[in-house]
Amino acid sequence: MPVAFAILALMALALYLLARRRHDDSHRRGLRIGWRMGKGLLPLLVCAFALAGLIQVALPPELIRAWLGEEAGLRGICIGTVAGALIAGGPYVSFPIIAGIYQAGAGIGTIVALITGWAMLGVGQLPFEITLVGPRFTLVRLATVFLTPVAAGLLAQAIFGAG
């Protein structure tokens, strides 16, 4: 986190200084635009982080381990794949939730399947993909990557799982 923050802060500072050199108030305009965008996302971020924290305390750890933990095996990986496909939102919303599930006791294979399912099968992006790229392409893409989250989860479980 500190490295990512430092990189983003340096990039923002560099662009701020670049915009300020233009002497046309664009540096302030850029900050106002960024603030408006961030203000609109703030409710989503608050809900995502609240959900991430509540997952860790509201759901019994034995329930998480039984359904999503290492011992859940293929069942947990399949649940992770489906859950990943259904999580809507960008990484700023999805990853706090995923981190909360992981820290609550989900297995490495389940989390890899969840993230891979989110990235490859996300149902939230399908309307845009179908509209902009076309239904045939979407079907071809889904048919070719459909089992990838499960395969990635099984591979992660086999290599990095607890045993």
Side-chain angles (χ1 to χ4, degrees), residues 82-144:
V82 172
L86 295 176
I87 292 177
Y92 49 85
V93 171
S94 302
F95 275 94
I97 297 168
I98 293 167
I101 294 169
Y102 185 52
Q103 291 167 3
I108 189 76
T110 298
I111 294 302
V112 167
L114 202 156
I115 292 173
T116 308
W118 171 78
M120 301 182 96
L121 305 173
V123 295
Q125 68 192 20
L126 291 180
F128 295 103
E129 184 176 336
I130 290 169
T131 302
L132 297 173
V133 186
R136 183 178 186 283
F137 175 85
T138 301
L139 285 175
V140 169
R141 186 187 67 75
L142 288 174
T144 54

Side-chain angles (χ1 to χ4, degrees), residues 11 13 21 36-38 44-45 48-49 57 60-61 74 90 93 102 108 113 138 140 142 144 148-149 152:
M11 291 171 61
L13 179 64
R21 290 182 61 191
R36 280 195 300 266
M37 291 169 64
L44 282 175
L45 291 174
F49 281 100
V57 297
L74 181 60
V93 171
Y102 185 52
I108 189 76
T138 301
V140 169
L142 288 174
T144 54
T148 302

Side-chain angles (χ1 to χ4, degrees), residues 19-85:
R20 189 182 169 124
R21 290 182 61 191
R22 295 171 60 180
H23 301 289
D24 63 356
D25 205 37
S26 60
H27 60 294
R28 288 190 181 125
R29 197 164 17 104
L31 290 176
R32 281 193 299 271
I33 291 169
W35 170 248
R36 280 195 300 266
M37 291 169 64
K39 201 169 62 174
L41 292 175
L42 199 55
L44 282 175
L45 291 174
V46 169
C47 288
F49 281 100
L51 184 60
L54 290 169
I55 285 171
Q56 295 178 52
V57 297
L59 299 176
E62 55 275 359
L63 180 72
I64 296 286
R65 282 193 299 273
W67 285 92
L68 303 174
E70 304 277 340
E71 60 267 18
L74 181 60
R75 179 184 62 198
I77 289 169
C78 289
I79 291 171
T81 298
V82 172

